[in-house]
Amino acid sequence: AIRMTQSPSSFSASTGDRVTITCRASQGISSYLAWYQQKPGKAPKLLIYAASTLQSGVPSRFSGSGSGTDFTLTISCLQSEDFATYYCQQYYSYPPGLTFGGGTKVEIK
Amino acid sequence: QVTLRESGPALVKPTQTLTLTCTFSGFSLSTSGMCVSWVRQPPGKALEWLALIDWDDDKYYSTSLKTRLTISKDTSKNQVVLTMTNMDPVDTATYYCARSGIYGVTRGAFDIWGQGTMVTVSS
């Protein structure tokens, strides 16, 4: 099974900061990667698919990059509503191969 | 508008079988390429994909849980049902159903999720 490793697992940042979250796959997954945002008590929300394509309605301050094994999610100017946990998910060998990373919690500094 | 909603018991006892229903609207699971999955999340932990059923009634399961899971659909009722046998306290989690497709660049991404249902396993 393909394993997804996110780093860091959590960090603190301030409104206006540029933040980057990393996701690494245990084997090459081309660009079959999605990013989700999850707020406490809520379902995950799809932000990015195909590694870099913004889902409709998602603010342009979010961007994704990478291919193969290394991926990043960048928030260019952190807003108050962006404090949440972010998950990557690979779908290279789908179906059924679907695995999530362990999550990265972005907290207020 | 596409929506999914999970329903089922909030509390089950160890060794019992859990049955969850996902009722959806705004799309049809008989449409070519459409899929519905179940994903769970233990309190404070990461998401874990459990099972998927597609428009053609193909079924896929998590390798680690496949002996305990059964997924099925009732297209006429717009429902997907998940059963999990031999429940254990470690299965305590919020269970989500989510939609995905099988074609194109979005094919494995979950674009719409239900709100989730919390299931506690305790005697």
Side-chain angles (χ1 to χ4, degrees), chain A residues 7-93:
Chain A
S7 60
S9 57
S10 67
F11 66 95
S12 300
S14 300
T15 304
D17 285 352
R18 178 183 179 90
V19 302
T20 299
I21 298 168
T22 297
C23 178
R24 174 165 288 175
S26 60
Q27 66 185 73
I29 59 169
S30 185
S31 296
Y32 294 109
L33 184 101
W35 288 98
Y36 299 88
Q37 176 193 65
Q38 187 179 35
K39 296 183 179 179
K42 301 294 187 182
K45 172 188 173 184
L46 177 64
L47 297 176
I48 286 168
Y49 59 90
S52 61
T53 303
L54 211 60
Q55 173 73 341
S56 176
V58 174
S60 59
R61 63 181 179 272
F62 291 92
S63 63
S65 65
S67 67
T69 60
D70 295 314
F71 302 86
T72 58
L73 172 70
T74 299
I75 310 172
S76 60
C77 183
L78 199 65
Q79 301 299 299
S80 57
E81 60 266 33
D82 301 336
F83 291 98
T85 301
Y86 294 85
Y87 292 94
C88 61
Q89 175 229 332
Q90 68 82 19
Y91 50 96
Y92 175 71
S93 53

Side-chain angles (χ1 to χ4, degrees), chain B residues 94-110:
Chain B
T94 297
Y95 288 75
Y96 297 98
C97 58
R99 185 184 78 162
S100 63
I102 208 158
Y103 300 127
V105 293
T106 63
R107 62 190 182 93
F110 299 115

